[in-house]
Amino acid sequence: MEIKKIMVPVDFSEVAPTVCKWAKGLAKKLNAKLIVVYVLEDLSTYEGIYVDLKTLSDLEKTLFEGAKKSMEDFVKTHFADFKDVEAVIVKGDIVEKINHTAEEKGADLIVMGTHGRKGIDKILFGSVAEGVVKNSPIPVVTINPYKIK
């Protein structure tokens, strides 16, 4: 089996650089391309709540622009020494979009953290890793960013 494309989902948390460092090292050894993906959760799930649709639309645009800027900065900072990297921002259900994007981009492997942000987000991101592993059409390597150096 050849691994030519490795996808690494990021959440821009303090542990994302650790996971990306590992993924980048693996990509260098395998001479593979990296696809860095951030999933912006779809806010349409909040449409039933008494929130103006224009407010949700404006918030979604603001979040997308913020994610775009964060991705640009993240890639510049953490992949300056690695040129074969593609940054992708998608919107929707996190687990579903990670798996769909991996398939769509022709990734051969997903490398992701077992934990993301702290608190409730840490628990949720942990369940994201579990969901990706259970539903991925390709192999997934999970890294506990609090244990690996």
Side-chain angles (χ1 to χ4, degrees), residues 1 3 5-9 19 22 26 95 98-99 102-103 107-114 125-126 128-143:
M1 175 184 199
I3 297 175
K5 291 183 183 179
I6 299 171
M7 193 176 87
V8 56
V19 175
W22 201 91
L26 183 61
V95 170
I98 288 171
N99 286 327
E103 205 167 10
D108 303 301
L109 178 71
I110 298 172
V111 175
M112 67 185 300
T114 56
F125 197 75
V128 167
E130 181 183 354
V132 171
V133 168
K134 285 182 177 178
N135 297 293
S136 178
I138 60 173
V140 180
V141 172
T142 58
I143 297 168

Side-chain angles (χ1 to χ4, degrees), residues 11-16 115-126 145-146:
D11 63 355
F12 307 128
S13 69
E14 73 279 355
V15 298
H115 301 78
R117 296 179 175 93
K118 292 184 178 177
I120 189 71
D121 286 337
K122 180 179 172 185
I123 295 164
L124 291 175
F125 197 75
Y146 297 102

Side-chain angles (χ1 to χ4, degrees), residues 33-38 71-72 75 85-89 105:
K33 175 181 180 171
L34 275 174
I35 303 161
V36 181
V37 65
Y38 175 78
M71 180 65 89
E72 288 170 7
V75 169
V85 61
E86 177 184 359
V88 178
I89 299 172
K105 295 289 182 180

Side-chain angles (χ1 to χ4, degrees), residues 59 137 144:
L59 177 58
N144 183 332

Side-chain angles (χ1 to χ4, degrees), residues 31-82:
N31 197 29
K33 175 181 180 171
L34 275 174
I35 303 161
V36 181
V37 65
Y38 175 78
V39 181
L40 185 63
E41 285 189 87
D42 191 358
L43 297 181
S44 67
T45 56
Y46 297 103
E47 285 180 6
I49 299 174
Y50 292 102
V51 178
D52 183 273
L53 289 179
K54 182 172 177 1
T55 303
L56 282 178
S57 177
D58 290 346
L59 177 58
E60 211 165 58
K61 284 179 191 172
T62 301
L63 290 171
F64 184 81
E65 288 305 314
K68 194 171 155 186
K69 176 71 174 128
S70 293
M71 180 65 89
E72 288 170 7
D73 292 347
F74 189 86
V75 169
K76 275 184 201 170
T77 302
H78 301 289
F79 297 98
D81 62 337
F82 191 86

